[in-house]
Amino acid sequence: MTVVIVTEAEYGKGQATFVDTPRLAFVPAPNEEALLAAAIRKAGACYVILGHAQYIDDLYRAMPPGSVLARFGVGHEGIDKAKTTAAGILCTNTPGTLDDSVAEHTVALLLAISRKLLPMTAAMRRGTWDQELGLEVRGSKIAVIGAGPIGRRVAEMASAGFGMRVALCDRTRAGKKTYEIPGVSVVESYEEAVADADFVSMHIPGTKENLHFLDCERLSKLRANTWLINTSRGSIVDEVALYDLLARGSIAGAALDVFAVEPYVPAAPDKDLRTLNNVIMTPHVGSYTGAAVRRMAERALRNVQMALEGRYGEMDLLNPGVLEHLKSGL
């Protein structure tokens, strides 16, 4: 039996898929890098399925050339692709498996905001009949920041499904877009996208370049009636600056599914987003649906199986340059 190490959270999510796979033995292991590396060495494993945590060094030294790190999900900023390539490790993710789930959660937050579902639910539980004036989203403006598959799906849902005015900010492929979305205006700058926006939805990766992309300066571009929605990565938001603007009422509110530290820990002791009435928080569940979890497990497993069969060209390789390294004998 070939051993596949799976980080504990991902093992729990994909267990139904994993247990039905012949000739592979799936072994759960801790998420923390030193413990994960120790589990890999103990099992002599060459195949690892892992989550979105940050891995710096020991993991890459624990695996021999030709091994596979299969990301259970799409974002891969936690994996050092240069180090995996240098070590001869094939690194993959699961593109397209969670786009609909995250986009739908984004829209769910949008509707919860517009119809004030949380304050009215709280009022009903208190036994009070407080009718809050809602907002029809048709005709309102949403700025979608990031034109990857999830951002484009949100833009499509907002335009075709709700008749919203949509500005899609494509910062990485400006002037080179290969897609057209009916009713959606594609712009190049964040400032142009968020101008007059009622909602701003973030869909950019949590790369080093995007650390605190939403700093005080960019957040100050939002209007007093604007709601921020973030279902991408918590690291892109300066949570202290966000708290200050929310507490002052400089922006209307925020609906957040992701945080700089997860489980959530305030960025400063006196800047706890949970204490603010104009904040909606969910525990990073945008991609946590039965269908998406199954697709991620199946796609990660497929990448392992393709490697076992030597079908490297069919893998979702994040570091295709590793193939040349392997050919040269690394």
Side-chain angles (χ1 to χ4, degrees):
M1 296 283 281
T2 298
V3 173
V4 180
I5 299 290
V6 188
T7 48
E8 289 170 339
E10 287 62 44
Y11 181 84
K13 293 175 183 178
Q15 187 174 6
T17 298
F18 298 148
V19 297
D20 288 336
T21 305
R23 296 184 297 279
L24 296 179
F26 294 88
V27 178
N31 183 67
E32 195 273 321
E33 184 169 17
L35 297 177
L36 176 58
I40 293 167
R41 290 187 176 103
K42 181 179 179 180
C46 296
Y47 304 95
V48 178
I49 296 175
L50 74 174
H52 65 83
Q54 192 81 25
Y55 295 101
I56 298 171
D57 183 59
D58 198 20
L59 175 64
Y60 314 117
R61 292 188 282 107
M63 305 179 70
S67 297
V68 174
L69 280 177
R71 171 76 174 86
F72 190 103
V74 175
H76 48 84
E77 60 272 10
I79 298 174
D80 189 320
K81 269 70 70 180
K83 288 185 178 179
T84 58
T85 299
I89 299 170
L90 298 113
C91 181
T92 67
N93 68 342
T94 61
T97 56
L98 49 77
D99 299 352
D100 283 341
S101 289
V102 177
E104 288 176 6
H105 191 67
T106 302
V107 172
L109 293 173
L110 170 70
L111 295 178
I113 294 164
S114 63
R115 301 313 297 264
K116 301 182 180 177
L117 298 187
L118 268 64
M120 286 193 289
T121 296
M124 293 289 283
R125 286 176 176 162
R126 293 193 303 267
T128 59
W129 190 266
D130 295 336
Q131 294 178 318
E132 298 269 3
L133 184 66
L135 168 72
E136 284 188 4
V137 297
R138 179 174 293 277
S140 63
K141 179 181 176 181
I142 182 170
V144 179
I145 311 301
I150 297 172
R152 296 199 303 269
R153 190 74 181 100
V154 170
E156 180 183 41
M157 289 179 176
S159 176
F162 295 101
M164 299 180 73
R165 295 181 292 120
V166 182
L168 177 62
C169 180
D170 189 340
R171 302 180 306 127
T172 60
R173 291 182 293 276
K176 301 178 183 179
K177 65 180 188 295
T178 58
Y179 54 86
E180 294 290 340
I181 305 174
V184 174
S185 298
V186 179
V187 300
E188 296 183 6
S189 76
Y190 166 85
E191 290 76 14
E192 183 180 1
V194 303
D196 300 324
D198 301 288
F199 306 93
V200 173
S201 187
M202 301 303 299
H203 301 282
I204 62 176
T207 60
K208 292 179 181 179
E209 295 75 17
N210 286 336
L211 179 64
H212 288 183
F213 174 85
L214 284 184
D215 55 13
C216 187
E217 181 180 356
R218 286 196 176 100
L219 285 167
S220 68
K221 303 294 183 184
L222 309 185
R223 301 186 303 172
N225 71 322
T226 302
W227 274 80
L228 171 68
I229 303 172
N230 187 18
T231 56
S232 55
R233 284 289 185 264
S235 62
I236 70 171
V237 179
D238 181 338
E239 291 179 350
V240 170
L242 177 61
Y243 178 95
D244 289 341
L245 268 69
L246 289 166
R248 293 198 302 265
S250 299
I251 61 175
L256 310 170
D257 184 51
V258 290
F259 306 92
V261 177
E262 296 180 355
Y264 174 70
V265 176
D270 59 340
K271 310 282 185 180
D272 192 335
L273 292 166
R274 295 170 296 190
T275 65
L276 300 177
N277 292 329
N278 55 347
V279 176
I280 298 173
M281 304 170 77
T282 55
H284 202 154
V285 293
S287 62
Y288 195 40
T289 64
V293 165
R294 184 181 66 253
R295 289 192 295 265
M296 285 186 279
E298 291 172 348
R299 192 67 170 259
L301 180 55
R302 177 184 178 277
N303 281 312
V304 170
Q305 291 171 325
M306 293 299 99
L308 284 166
E309 297 171 14
R311 296 160 64 182
Y312 304 122
E314 298 176 49
M315 297 172 69
D316 300 303
L317 281 176
L318 297 169
N319 59 336
V322 73
L323 298 179
E324 290 300 319
H325 283 251
L326 291 172
K327 287 178 183 177
S328 66
L330 283 177

